[in-house]
Amino acid sequence: MKTSCLSAAALVLLQLAAAQPHRQNVHKHVQRSPAKEVVILKQNGVPISTYTQEAGGSPTPAPAPAPEPEVKNKGAKAPNSYAPPAPSPKEDYSPSDEPASGNGISYTPFNDDRSCKTQDEVNSDFESIDGYSLIRLYGTECDQVTTVGNAAKAKGMKLYVGIANDKVLSPDQTANYGSIQSQCEAISQAVGGSWDLIDTVGVGNEMVQTGVASGEVVKAIHAAKDALKGKGYDGNVVTADTFVAMIDSPDICKASDYAAANCHPYFDGHVQPENAGEWVKQQAKNVGDKCGKKVVITETGWPTQGGANGNAQPSKENQETVVSGIKEAFSDNPSGVIFFSAFNEAWKEDTGATNGVEKYWGVLSN
């Protein structure tokens, strides 16, 4: 296939984004459905991201990530001293006995000023969350596995809990085994050793898309599996990444218990809202064909405010069309899709580099 080089302007944007602290559920990728041209973004001569575009097309600059909320009592990282055992191809990390059966939706427990929401505030949010069977989280800060777990359990929902990227990786972008082990211990303590609430444990989000070597991600997945198995958990352990990264680096989905692919039609730039459902389903099929296993779309949606990306125009009307179309496309497999996100997230920073959309993905927001 033809390979294109990164333009100077795009490289400047990429370097600026890389210099900022990243938030694990911030959109920072350009997606293109399979076409005639593969573009490999490079920094200092090293490939850090790959996507496809139509021959002769120009990608929209990827939004810059927002900083992580500053919360108190986050805890110190565990020493990077744990070495995982060599993975066995015969190990079977079976899914939970009662997996989530309906659509999922993501949620973050932060107030607009980035402070942690209380149990009462989380409960109040959950009064509006109906018609979903799974809640996706991105980290353990703010004691969210406990507070969100309590609210989810009261409504018969399950959790996809997450280990944040900065708890998965060391500063040199290698798997931080001690920190992973500590995070698994924190999750185990939050659920009291009773794993019925947990559908999936997610090890990072979009790490390969942002330049982490896939081999390090695979090591992190196996380290988490080993630590969690020692705590009595035998459910799903995955890493989530963009569908493009999954197809380009199938080792990360093969190491996961299912292929967890983020897939946003808005970032493609060519998908009309009325076609979004079938487009997302096609990308899920492409990932499944490459990975050879079950696929869950772990993020998808449409922004309601901000700038257009090619033909993709943010609006509430378009979001409703997209969400309805995706639900229809996955009507035979509703647990195969997690929407992003429950509410708008005013705690995030939005700049020109993020196309003005970062705060405005709330499916349940006005």
Side-chain angles (χ1 to χ4, degrees):
M1 285 193 172
K2 182 179 177 183
T3 301
S4 173
C5 294
L6 181 66
S7 68
L11 180 58
V12 169
L13 284 172
L14 186 61
Q15 290 173 329
L16 286 173
Q20 300 181 44
H22 61 270
R23 176 69 189 163
Q24 60 269 16
N25 66 331
V26 169
H27 302 98
K28 45 194 172 285
H29 47 83
V30 177
Q31 297 179 161
R32 294 287 185 268
S33 50
K36 296 181 180 179
E37 209 169 57
V38 175
V39 179
I40 302 175
L41 303 183
K42 295 185 178 182
Q43 187 171 21
N44 298 326
V46 179
I48 65 170
S49 182
T50 304
Y51 58 87
T52 56
Q53 67 176 36
E54 293 183 359
S58 298
T60 300
E68 180 177 357
E70 295 180 3
V71 296
K72 296 180 180 180
N73 301 321
K74 291 177 65 177
K77 284 188 177 181
N80 189 15
S81 58
Y82 172 73
S88 168
K90 295 182 180 181
E91 288 181 333
D92 179 18
Y93 296 91
S94 58
S96 303
D97 291 337
E98 298 179 1
S101 59
N103 295 147
I105 197 163
S106 67
Y107 175 80
T108 52
F110 307 119
N111 292 305
D112 293 357
D113 63 359
R114 303 188 179 191
S115 62
C116 299
K117 288 190 174 182
T118 65
Q119 183 69 70
D120 286 344
E121 289 171 324
V122 172
N123 292 345
S124 178
D125 284 344
F126 269 67
E127 290 177 2
S128 302
I129 304 178
D130 291 312
Y132 297 92
S133 68
L134 180 139
I135 301 296
R136 181 181 176 185
L137 303 177
Y138 292 86
T140 59
E141 65 269 51
C142 292
D143 197 25
Q144 60 185 280
V145 178
T146 298
T147 58
V148 178
N150 290 338
K153 188 183 299 184
K155 301 197 74 169
M157 301 172 178
K158 296 180 78 73
L159 294 184
Y160 171 130
V161 297
I163 303 175
N165 291 2
D166 64 351
K167 301 297 189 296
V168 175
L169 301 170
S170 298
D172 63 357
Q173 302 293 281
T174 58
N176 189 333
Y177 304 121
S179 179
I180 292 167
Q181 195 173 35
S182 177
Q183 287 290 295
C184 292
E185 173 65 27
I187 293 169
S188 178
Q189 290 182 0
V191 300
S194 176
W195 295 100
D196 293 344
L197 179 66
I198 307 302
D199 177 87
T200 298
V201 176
V203 183
N205 188 59
E206 298 188 359
M207 292 189 290
V208 170
Q209 179 68 32
T210 53
V212 179
S214 63
E216 293 301 319
V217 177
V218 169
K219 291 176 185 177
I221 295 168
H222 285 295
K225 284 186 175 184
D226 183 67
L228 290 163
K229 194 172 184 179
K231 301 296 181 184
Y233 177 71
D234 63 355
N236 299 308
V237 180
V238 305
T239 192
D241 222 303
T242 65
F243 72 90
V244 175
M246 284 277 169
I247 292 171
D248 188 55
S249 301
D251 53 332
I252 61 175
C253 57
K254 291 179 179 178
S256 299
D257 288 309
Y258 59 78
N262 296 348
C263 184
H264 291 280
Y266 168 82
F267 288 118
D268 181 84
H270 301 293
V271 181
Q272 294 294 334
E274 60 271 20
N275 300 324
E278 288 305 317
W279 182 85
V280 172
K281 192 161 189 177
Q282 181 60 52
Q283 307 319 317
K285 181 181 184 302
N286 293 343
V287 172
D289 289 346
K290 188 70 173 182
C291 295
K293 61 174 55 180
K294 168 185 170 182
V295 177
V296 175
I297 298 299
T298 41
E299 278 187 14
T300 192
W302 194 272
T304 58
Q305 296 183 47
N309 179 31
N311 294 328
Q313 179 64 55
S315 74
K316 190 64 180 179
E317 180 181 2
N318 284 345
Q319 184 194 65
E320 290 172 349
T321 298
V322 167
V323 170
S324 176
I326 294 173
K327 287 184 176 181
E328 175 63 27
F330 285 81
S331 60
D332 60 343
N333 179 30
S335 62
V337 62
I338 301 172
F339 288 97
F340 184 89
S341 58
F343 304 105
N344 288 340
E345 297 171 312
W347 59 267
K348 292 182 177 178
E349 290 185 359
D350 229 334
T351 67
T354 63
N355 216 25
V357 302
E358 198 54 53
K359 299 177 181 180
Y360 305 110
W361 294 77
V363 173
L364 305 177
S365 297
N366 295 324

